[in-house]
Amino acid sequence: MTSSAHSPAALSRAAFATLLLIAFMMGANHVAARLAFDHGVSVATAVAFRSSVTALVVAAILLVYRVPVRLQARHRKALPAIGLLVGVQSLCLYAAVARLPVALALLAFNTYPLWTALWARLVYRQRPQPRVLKAMPVMLIGLALALDVFGAASGLGASGHWARIGVGVAFALAAAATFGMALVLTQHETGELDGRLRTATTMAIVAVMAMIAASAQGGLSLPTAPTGWWGLLGLTFLYGTAFTIMFTVLPKLGVVGNSAIMNIEPIFALVLAWAILGQSIAAVQVAGGLVVVATVMWLGLRKA
């Protein structure tokens, strides 16, 4: 998720509540995804369902609001690249959710602001803001605590712990890296495009990618139990609804783009995963997670 320069203090109560609702639904979406994965649904199938429905919903919004479709040559080049990057990000993040406690997968993914600064520097020679440089070590320390890098909380030791979580963490960091690059391209190449048009295009590309991935694995993997169907339907509904609210309600409330408050998503996911999935992490990992979330919110609240 991206963040605007709007401080929660400047938001109306309705806008603040709406942002919290979106963060809750996005966190719940990943918990629902884990339910689906635990009952026969593949990562590609989940992304295909989620992205197809979201693309159709946002396309309907484009038609209702009669949003003009005017693309320059650079937009036509950048949009497919952004779609491919978000497709990889979506597949990698769900792959991480399938392998890790949901909150840890989202916390590792929440390092994307660091990747955004790195890609902006490498691709566009844009120097990172001093605030980002200050945040980097704090966020990394928080992530190290959350992931229990030495395996102390798990009691498995470093080697045993990383043998269990290493692949999932790699997927989450790959998702963060590709999302960071997508944000940089979005800002520099398509920033002036209507967000609804950009999202509909991106989700359509992601849906096609997921369908291809599912076909390569022998076709869609549907749930093997009713709980899996609830998970698949839940993740599709929650993700699509969150995006619909983002593009229809937030603009009317005076919120441009996203807000830093939505980065509280991993905290919602932590509580929901504990209540629904029975997942829990050690107190020191919770503390590390709070450090990561607070740092990302601090970065999101910076003034443009």
Side-chain angles (χ1 to χ4, degrees):
M1 280 185 269
T2 55
S3 302
S4 74
H6 290 262
S7 167
L11 298 173
S12 68
R13 289 183 179 178
F16 188 77
T18 303
L19 290 168
L20 283 179
L21 176 62
I22 293 173
F24 174 83
M25 287 192 293
M26 294 302 287
N29 143 67
H30 289 98
V31 174
R34 182 58 184 259
L35 275 178
F37 299 148
D38 288 346
H39 294 85
V41 177
S42 69
V43 168
T45 299
V47 174
F49 268 77
R50 182 193 79 174
S51 302
S52 298
V53 171
T54 303
L56 290 173
V57 169
V58 180
I61 293 173
L62 289 176
L63 292 174
V64 170
Y65 287 89
R66 298 180 180 178
V67 177
V69 180
R70 299 191 186 96
L71 299 178
Q72 300 175 12
R74 66 189 183 93
H75 297 153
R76 295 189 185 96
K77 293 179 180 178
L79 284 174
I82 293 169
L84 289 171
L85 287 166
V86 174
V88 173
Q89 175 257 319
S90 299
L91 292 168
C92 285
L93 183 54
Y94 268 4
V97 168
R99 291 166 171 81
L100 295 173
V102 177
L104 293 187
L106 295 180
L107 287 170
F109 172 69
N110 255 25
T111 59
Y112 70 81
L114 306 187
W115 290 99
T116 302
L118 174 63
W119 293 128
R121 176 61 176 166
L122 292 177
V123 179
Y124 292 99
R125 305 300 180 194
Q126 181 179 328
R127 290 184 177 275
Q129 295 183 2
R131 196 176 181 98
V132 175
L133 295 176
K134 292 177 183 177
M136 283 183 180
V138 178
M139 187 182 294
L140 292 176
I141 290 171
L143 184 62
L145 290 173
L147 294 178
D148 184 26
V149 292
F150 297 112
S154 68
L156 299 174
S159 59
H161 183 60
W162 280 98
R164 187 172 68 176
I165 72 166
V167 174
V169 172
F171 273 121
L173 294 178
T178 50
F179 187 62
M181 185 63 188
L183 289 180
V184 170
L185 287 180
T186 297
Q187 177 184 353
H188 288 86
E189 305 297 340
T190 67
E192 68 277 13
L193 280 181
D194 188 289
R196 294 165 293 186
L197 176 59
R198 193 169 55 231
T199 297
T201 304
T202 300
M203 287 295 103
I205 294 172
V206 173
V208 171
M209 287 181 62
M211 288 291 188
I212 293 172
S215 297
Q217 297 170 354
L220 296 175
S221 299
L222 298 178
T224 57
T227 301
W229 280 108
W230 283 113
L232 183 59
L233 294 174
L235 71 90
T236 302
F237 171 78
L238 289 163
Y239 191 84
T241 303
F243 264 87
T244 302
I245 292 174
M246 198 179 298
F247 289 118
T248 58
V249 178
L250 290 187
K252 296 179 181 179
L253 295 174
V255 181
V256 180
N258 302 336
S259 172
I261 192 63
M262 284 196 289
N263 289 304
I264 202 171
E265 173 190 347
I267 303 302
F268 283 126
L270 176 65
V271 175
L272 289 170
W274 169 77
I276 297 173
L277 303 174
Q279 293 181 350
S280 61
I281 58 177
V284 66
Q285 293 177 281
V286 174
L290 292 175
V291 170
V292 174
V293 170
T295 306
V296 174
M297 291 182 66
W298 180 69
L299 282 174
L301 293 172
R302 70 185 184 276
K303 294 183 180 179

